Amino acid sequence: MSTLAAFGKLPTLNSATILLVGTNEIFQQQLAETILQEKQDLKINIHLADSLPLPPERDHIRPRIDLIVFMVNMQSKHSYSNIEASLVHVDASFFLGKVCFLATGAGRLNQISIEVNAVLKLADLYCSPVLFCELECEKIRIATAQRLLRMLRICAGHMSGVSALSFSSLMKSSIGDSSFLA
Amino acid sequence: MKKGVIAKTPKQALTRSCSKQTDLSAWKASALQMTGRRNEQKLSKDKQQTTSENADPKQDSLEEALSYLKKAKERTPLKNEVLQKHLVTVEKIAQEKGLAPEELDFLLNIALSGKFAEVVSTRLLKNLVPTSAITADSVTSAVSWLCVGKCSRTTQMLFLKWLIAMFDFIEQKEQVNALYGFFFSLLQDEKLFPFACHVLYLITRKKNVKPFRVRKLLDLQAKMGAEPPLQALLLLYKNFSPEMVSITLPTKTKIQFKNSENPWKMAISNIKRRLCGAPPASQPSLINTACPQTRKRKWNNKLVLPACSVQSSCSAVSQRTHHIDLIVHSDAFPVEQLQTFPQLLENIHCLELPSRIGSVLANPLLLHYVNCVSDDSVYRRMYYWMGQTLREECPWHKFENQPFELEFKDFLRKIFEAECFLQEGFSSCEEFLYRSLPFWDGYSCRSQVLQLVTWIPLSTFSEMKSYLFKPLAQLFFTSSLYFKCSVFESLREMLLNWLNWHLMQTDTTTKLNADLLNTTLSGLVSSVADLIHFVGWLSTVALSLENNSAFLMHFILDFYEIVSDVYLKYNLPLVVMPPAGVFYTALLSMDSVCLDHLCYIMHRYRANLISAKQNLQAKKTVLQFKFSSQTCQEYNQYITAMVGCLWTSNVFQKDFHHQGIHMDPEVLEKTRVKGYRKSFNIVYHPALTGYAMLFLQEAQPEDKTPNFQLIQGRRWEWYLEYLYSQELRGLKLFIESSIHRASQRSQTQTSK
């Protein structure tokens, strides 16, 4: 079983790589296109996968992955279990701030098949944040793409003074303890 | 489709003119229109039918179906094909276009008369989707059928459910209220009981609350236990007349009525969608309630006063009582006739709020009224209605609401305006924010949501942290600079609202606020302090994430401008200094406005601390003063750094703050910067060199290369005057208050 390592490769100059994992190809494709449409001063590589592990044969040409986004479709149990299975193939060092969950479809509460709490719990288990969004709506997709790009820049080390680890601890400190209180 | 829209036009015009409450002529015109409305409506409908008779075959088939249902023999077997065919037609049309009041009335009668089998009645009831309104007569005749007992329990139940769902569509609610006794009697029936409770909850007025009814309800409670619907009803009774209901009831029951997805809601929203089409792309926000024309009034009428409700009954009453007694007449003043403030003052004792409580939001006169009545029931009704509406219309909770985001925005805006008017947040709105912020994408209705956040009332910070600040912070960190700025803006507004509330509390201690006063001063102080610390943390992080953006800094300093003045201006014993991450970033900023702002803030801190200290010495202050020697020490460190930086050029030696810019001379020598000591004084400071340059150009226009070293001695004074003349008022205040010129002049001159 090959795991995806966070620091296994050297970073490439002026570029950042994001990996979208999810079962809904249309959403993945749309989101990827939206991300690429955003104006950036660095090169963005997007890799799409429906599950992990990634095929080993092309591993040598694949750049270092800076951020993995797990797209959970709240309306499909399959997508959830698929993500759960994929998470096993991710090296622990990734969870130091280079993973995030994207929950889609939470807006259709009557059609929901996974509990919101289950997703929150999963994310908590893997120390990663969850973003809620409806990808069908273009404006929200753009807003989500911008949020992901911000995280990507930090994860790829393009934001001076902020590392992926410090960022994830920020996101968590707003979740858990009261560290920001004097 | 077209027909429906046209038939409605007079009504639309009516609502729009009504919304201009102060315009009497408009009111008269609309009153005229109201009387003529029915005829007109019929007329336009007839016209439409004659013009497009062939174009609308569906309409004909509906009429055919209706006449069949009318003529068909009783107990026609279910399998009768003709019956089935006509039923399908009715269903189809009802679901697609909805039914006119007369059609609705007819079908309701058929369904409840038990003419056909129960299955048919159920089918008919489930398809009673109105296009415009439901007349009170329909309800009355329906109730009379129930009295005859021709229909089964299940049908009765379904009828009650329908009535609850359609309550907002019913005209002349006064007439429905007249049936109060009947609905009350339905409480006996165990199966109908919860629905009867809900109906009663909707129609109860103060005059309905009678001792014998209270007794009955208490009996029921003893028999059935604390059922939520019954409790809600009792609570409403208690609100109307507390002296009759002596038992204690839980005041904060959440959702009292189960409002499961009923079959009509879907149909209504479908029709609504079809009629409005796509919402107008960018509607400039209109100031009044006038809806964009593409919208159909009846679906958006929640905020409009139900103008026609009491019209007929009221005129009858006034005729009768005109010569008898004015007091009898003053039983209830119809709110839709309320046009002017003097009118409000005259009738304030006998106003009864409309059945559509939401209409209060858009009516400033009624908001005045709500503001001064001590009656809790208004708030309770508002709470229930608003909570329900927010839950159901929220676009990121229900994806099918997405096309109506504009409407929702408008709704949120209206709530916000009402909150500004009342200077108070609605608790249902607070709950909504707590519940929905974790799922918010940070995009939909952004400015409205952030505006509503500002009216979240003060409560213990630990509660607010998990519900409000946690999701907000997560969004904050991943969102754009502009989002961050607006979050600071709204947190600033929130702080202001809290402080203003505190000021009001100390000024007036009315009975209304008695329960709120329980939050003691120390609780308030610690909550405010926690909020300030939270913002301090947030701003430190945001500045490092956004590369010390000057734009962001303005918003942060705006916040601290209020914080610095909390003691003197808002009379709250609290002084909190900004964190080093904010202070030093502002001090060393490239932007002169930021520096000036910081100078002003430090000047205010000084004034506050001095006055606090004086009061402390005079023992005038309250005990829980949240101001320690640590704050003073921090202030002193900051002020030393600032003076050392801008004036005496010894910041690298004298700065003792642990996060400050103290540096050893050896390290500084290694940088090979010439004259590093002076590099942050008012001449060389990156935010001020521009001024120094302009000053030199003005003073010595012949010199091409500005020589900054010339600014000393008398020129230093002139330069200072020059800076003051450039609107750097904060700097002026700071230098004049915090720097003792006389003693330091010699020192500064030698240091140059």
Side-chain angles (χ1 to χ4, degrees):
Chain A
M1 182 166 73
S2 66
T3 58
L4 197 59
F7 302 105
K9 288 174 188 167
L10 287 172
T12 15
L13 201 62
N14 266 335
S15 69
T17 311
I18 186 170
L19 173 66
L20 305 178
V21 184
T23 44
N24 192 328
E25 274 177 34
I26 304 165
F27 281 172
Q28 258 182 345
Q29 200 71 39
Q30 279 179 336
L31 183 64
E33 276 165 19
T34 320
I35 291 177
L36 287 178
Q37 272 162 18
E38 287 297 312
K39 223 177 160 191
Q40 289 295 321
D41 45 8
L42 72 158
K43 195 171 158 248
I44 305 286
N45 299 314
I46 303 179
H47 288 244
L48 306 179
D50 55 354
S51 64
L52 295 181
L54 296 171
E57 53 266 24
R58 288 167 61 86
D59 189 57
H60 58 286
I61 51 166
R62 197 178 296 132
R64 188 178 87 166
I65 286 164
D66 298 302
L67 175 66
I68 307 178
V69 179
F70 289 101
M71 297 166 71
V72 188
N73 184 358
M74 307 285 283
Q75 283 148 5
S76 132
K77 280 212 171 103
H78 169 61
S79 107
Y80 182 77
S81 52
N82 175 48
I83 296 296
E84 252 186 335
S86 296
L87 277 165
V88 181
H89 301 281
V90 179
D91 187 62
S93 55
F94 255 110
F95 297 107
L96 301 175
K98 290 176 171 241
V99 170
C100 112
F101 293 87
L102 197 68
T104 62
R108 297 165 191 261
L109 278 179
N110 43 355
Q111 296 169 29
I112 241 167
S113 49
I114 315 163
E115 272 190 46
V116 178
N117 269 343
V119 178
L120 290 176
K121 232 173 155 182
L122 184 74
D124 199 36
L125 200 65
Y126 285 97
C127 310
S128 305
V130 200
L131 312 185
F132 286 91
C133 66
E134 302 299 329
L135 289 175
E136 290 100 319
C137 179
E138 201 195 342
K139 285 176 185 163
I140 296 178
R141 201 163 59 231
I142 293 173
T144 310
Q146 285 168 350
R147 290 177 76 186
L148 287 177
L149 276 170
R150 276 174 174 273
M151 294 175 78
L152 179 63
R153 288 174 77 89
I154 292 168
C155 293
H158 289 276
M159 197 87 96
S160 60
V162 194
S163 69
L165 183 58
S166 69
F167 188 72
S168 81
S169 72
L170 276 181
M171 295 288 270
K172 249 178 294 165
S173 74
S174 54
I175 301 171
D177 55 345
S178 54
S179 60
F180 58 79
L181 295 180
Chain B
M1 205 64 32
K2 208 177 152 203
K3 176 219 149 205
V5 174
I6 287 176
K8 253 10 330 130
T9 354
K11 272 200 172 183
Q12 246 179 357
L14 178 73
T15 24
R16 238 171 293 129
S17 56
C18 279
S19 64
K20 292 181 214 140
Q21 292 285 341
T22 42
D23 192 348
L24 200 68
S25 62
W27 163 252
K28 274 180 189 157
S30 68
L32 262 173
Q33 237 174 339
M34 208 148 44
T35 45
R37 204 196 71 225
R38 283 190 173 275
N39 305 333
E40 219 175 298
Q41 203 181 336
K42 255 188 198 149
L43 237 161
S44 67
K45 195 175 148 196
D46 291 345
K47 215 189 279 169
Q48 188 61 32
Q49 271 182 352
T50 46
T51 49
S52 62
E53 207 153 10
N54 298 328
D56 205 355
K58 272 184 184 164
Q59 192 58 38
D60 295 339
S61 55
L62 178 65
E63 268 167 27
E64 215 173 280
L66 293 185
S67 67
Y68 169 80
L69 288 176
K70 193 175 178 184
K71 284 175 202 150
K73 274 182 216 143
E74 273 194 35
R75 297 276 150 205
T76 310
L78 247 185
K79 282 177 188 151
N80 186 326
E81 269 178 33
V82 191
L83 174 66
Q84 284 297 335
K85 190 192 105 194
H86 286 304
L87 277 178
V88 170
T89 318
V90 171
E91 253 166 25
K92 209 170 149 199
I93 289 173
Q95 295 290 342
E96 266 177 27
K97 304 203 297 189
L99 300 166
E102 311 86 61
E103 293 158 359
L104 207 104
D105 182 54
F106 176 76
L107 287 174
L108 188 61
N109 277 319
I110 297 261
L112 295 179
S113 64
K115 186 172 177 183
F116 298 103
E118 198 185 317
V119 194
V120 179
S121 302
T122 313
R123 262 174 86 174
L124 284 177
L125 268 175
K126 280 194 175 159
N127 287 299
L128 290 181
V129 184
T131 50
S132 54
I134 300 164
T135 57
D137 287 337
S138 311
V139 181
T140 315
S141 65
V143 165
S144 66
W145 279 116
L146 293 199
C147 293
V148 182
K150 284 263 180 137
C151 51
S152 70
R153 197 67 8 127
T154 338
T155 316
Q156 285 181 16
M157 198 162 79
L158 196 63
F159 167 71
L160 288 182
K161 277 189 191 170
W162 176 83
L163 195 63
I164 293 162
M166 297 299 155
F167 190 72
D168 270 349
F169 293 96
I170 297 172
E171 290 180 334
Q172 293 122 353
K173 298 220 171 62
E174 200 56 40
Q175 214 174 313
V176 181
N177 186 269
L179 301 169
Y180 198 88
F182 170 76
F183 288 115
F184 198 86
S185 72
L186 289 183
L187 287 176
Q188 309 269 24
D189 191 302
E190 227 170 280
K191 229 172 150 188
L192 299 180
F193 163 78
F195 306 104
C197 270
H198 198 166
V199 173
L200 290 173
Y201 187 88
L202 290 173
I203 62 174
T204 300
R205 303 259 174 102
K206 196 175 166 96
K207 64 176 183 200
N208 300 121
V209 182
K210 297 274 159 61
F212 72 90
R213 290 205 176 113
V214 176
R215 231 174 292 135
K216 181 77 206 164
L217 286 184
L218 289 177
D219 281 353
L220 274 171
Q221 195 182 23
K223 206 171 77 187
M224 308 181 66
E227 292 276 324
L230 185 62
Q231 295 243 308
L233 189 59
L234 269 170
L235 203 56
L236 186 70
Y237 270 43
K238 191 167 179 167
N239 284 327
F240 275 125
S241 34
E243 69 283 354
M244 283 190 214
V245 187
S246 52
I247 57 161
T248 48
L249 290 159
T251 41
K252 254 215 159 166
T253 29
K254 283 264 163 84
I255 305 153
Q256 291 128 338
F257 300 106
K258 277 186 194 144
N259 221 302
S260 51
E261 290 287 311
N262 60 51
W264 302 282
K265 222 177 266 170
M266 212 46 217
I268 287 180
S269 65
N270 279 338
I271 294 175
K272 175 179 170 189
R273 198 155 307 166
R274 207 165 303 132
L275 288 175
C276 319
S282 64
Q283 196 79 37
S285 55
L286 301 170
I287 309 153
N288 57 11
T289 49
C291 304
Q293 266 135 17
T294 42
R295 296 195 203 154
K296 220 158 175 210
R297 172 218 142 190
K298 58 217 164 193
W299 315 113
N300 301 292
N301 58 2
K302 282 178 184 156
L303 300 178
V304 179
L305 268 180
C308 44
S309 57
V310 234
Q311 206 244 346
S312 53
S313 59
C314 170
S315 60
V317 169
S318 59
Q319 269 171 14
R320 192 151 31 89
T321 53
H322 213 260
H323 43 86
I324 304 175
D325 196 352
L326 267 174
I327 300 160
V328 182
H329 174 60
S330 66
D331 188 22
F333 184 80
V335 274
E336 64 271 17
Q337 286 178 21
L338 192 68
Q339 304 294 319
T340 58
F341 195 73
Q343 250 181 338
L344 173 74
L345 292 183
E346 271 168 37
N347 297 296
I348 201 153
H349 60 287
C350 58
L351 267 186
E352 191 157 320
L353 286 173
S355 54
R356 208 179 278 153
I357 191 75
S359 58
V360 172
L361 279 186
N363 188 327
L365 284 177
L366 286 182
L367 280 177
H368 272 299
Y369 175 69
V370 168
N371 204 13
C372 63
V373 285
S374 54
D375 188 357
D376 227 16
S377 73
V378 181
Y379 284 95
R380 198 155 291 285
R381 282 175 67 190
M382 192 68 104
Y383 170 81
Y384 174 69
W385 170 80
M386 194 183 286
Q388 179 106 342
T389 317
L390 284 171
R391 257 197 308 281
E392 276 173 18
E393 307 288 327
C394 173
W396 62 93
H397 268 309
K398 286 193 177 173
F399 188 74
E400 58 269 23
N401 288 330
Q402 208 81 35
F404 307 108
E405 199 194 318
L406 267 179
E407 282 173 38
F408 191 66
K409 266 185 192 171
D410 205 46
F411 178 54
L412 293 185
R413 189 178 55 80
K414 251 169 223 153
I415 296 181
F416 173 69
E417 277 166 7
E419 286 182 331
C420 287
F421 188 95
L422 297 171
Q423 289 288 301
E424 189 176 14
F426 293 110
S427 51
S428 49
C429 194
E430 183 192 349
E431 269 175 31
F432 163 73
L433 287 173
Y434 284 170
R435 198 172 316 125
S436 63
L437 276 182
F439 305 105
W440 188 37
D441 47 45
Y443 177 78
S444 331
C445 315
R446 175 189 294 178
S447 56
Q448 286 76 17
V449 169
L450 288 177
Q451 273 179 335
L452 287 181
V453 165
T454 64
W455 280 110
I456 288 183
L458 184 97
S459 54
T460 49
F461 190 76
S462 54
E463 258 175 51
M464 296 186 72
K465 204 183 77 188
S466 53
Y467 290 117
L468 175 70
F469 294 131
K470 170 189 133 188
L472 209 57
Q474 281 205 350
L475 275 168
F476 181 87
F477 293 134
T478 52
S479 296
S480 68
L481 173 66
Y482 303 106
F483 185 84
K484 291 190 174 93
C485 292
S486 22
V487 168
F488 280 124
E489 172 85 12
S490 75
L491 289 175
R492 176 177 156 271
E493 289 288 321
M494 180 153 129
L495 178 68
L496 257 182
N497 288 338
W498 286 6
L499 294 172
N500 282 331
W501 177 80
H502 165 69
L503 266 188
M504 291 288 289
Q505 290 298 294
T506 42
D507 281 1
T508 58
T509 39
T510 56
K511 271 181 193 165
L512 230 171
N513 300 326
D515 54 332
L516 295 172
L517 266 179
N518 289 343
T519 28
T520 54
L521 187 65
S522 72
L524 174 85
V525 168
S526 73
S527 282
V528 172
D530 284 344
L531 174 69
I532 295 171
H533 286 303
F534 172 73
V535 174
W537 174 74
L538 216 55
S539 31
T540 309
V541 177
L543 283 170
S544 73
L545 280 177
E546 292 297 336
N547 210 2
N548 300 333
S549 149
F551 187 61
L552 185 69
M553 187 53 110
H554 289 309
F555 286 89
I556 294 171
L557 291 179
D558 272 348
F559 183 84
Y560 276 101
E561 190 178 323
I562 295 173
V563 173
S564 66
D565 243 350
V566 160
Y567 180 66
L568 279 181
K569 212 167 165 186
Y570 299 97
N571 198 20
L572 194 73
L574 177 75
V575 180
V576 184
M577 298 304 292
V582 173
F583 173 77
Y584 283 101
T585 320
L587 180 62
L588 305 179
S589 141
M590 306 274 280
D591 188 52
S592 60
V593 182
C594 284
L595 182 67
D596 184 61
H597 207 162
L598 180 72
C599 286
Y600 176 75
I601 290 170
M602 293 309 283
H603 161 69
R604 289 312 304 167
Y605 268 123
R606 185 188 139 86
N608 276 266
L609 281 170
I610 286 177
S611 131
K613 208 145 197 185
Q614 279 168 353
N615 282 344
L616 204 67
Q617 276 160 359
K619 305 252 178 206
K620 270 199 291 187
T621 179
V622 257
L623 285 171
Q624 309 102 321
F625 198 74
K626 191 108 184 221
F627 146 75
S628 53
S629 58
Q630 206 194 332
T631 317
C632 250
Q633 199 189 341
E634 209 174 355
Y635 170 78
N636 284 333
Q637 284 174 340
Y638 280 161
I639 212 79
T640 318
M642 227 165 141
V643 173
C645 201
L646 297 173
W647 198 259
T648 54
S649 305
N650 57 4
V651 62
F652 297 119
Q653 292 103 57
K654 288 278 182 71
D655 188 358
F656 299 118
H657 195 278
H658 65 285
Q659 285 173 300
I661 46 174
H662 176 88
M663 264 184 250
D664 290 331
E666 299 88 61
V667 179
L668 287 162
E669 292 296 340
K670 275 185 193 161
T671 60
R672 294 188 191 165
V673 177
K674 275 187 205 159
Y676 60 81
R677 281 180 53 218
K678 291 195 222 161
S679 55
F680 287 117
N681 75 14
I682 51 172
V683 178
Y684 292 96
H685 192 289
L688 299 173
T689 37
Y691 290 101
M693 186 104 96
L694 289 172
F695 171 72
L696 282 174
Q697 271 172 10
E698 256 177 54
Q700 288 162 320
E702 66 276 7
D703 268 11
K704 284 280 182 286
T705 44
N707 184 4
F708 289 125
Q709 288 185 349
L710 289 176
I711 306 181
Q712 54 175 307
R714 256 170 49 219
R715 287 209 188 85
W716 177 273
E717 296 295 320
W718 292 345
Y719 175 58
L720 216 52
E721 288 301 321
Y722 175 77
L723 284 182
Y724 294 166
S725 70
Q726 300 296 308
E727 303 274 310
L728 294 174
R729 289 192 193 128
L731 190 74
K732 184 176 182 204
L733 285 169
F734 173 75
I735 289 179
E736 282 174 355
S737 67
S738 299
I739 297 176
H740 297 290
R741 303 286 310 280
S743 62
Q744 289 190 348
R745 184 171 297 169
S746 54
Q747 198 195 335
T748 43
Q749 277 173 5
T750 49
S751 76
K752 270 174 223 113

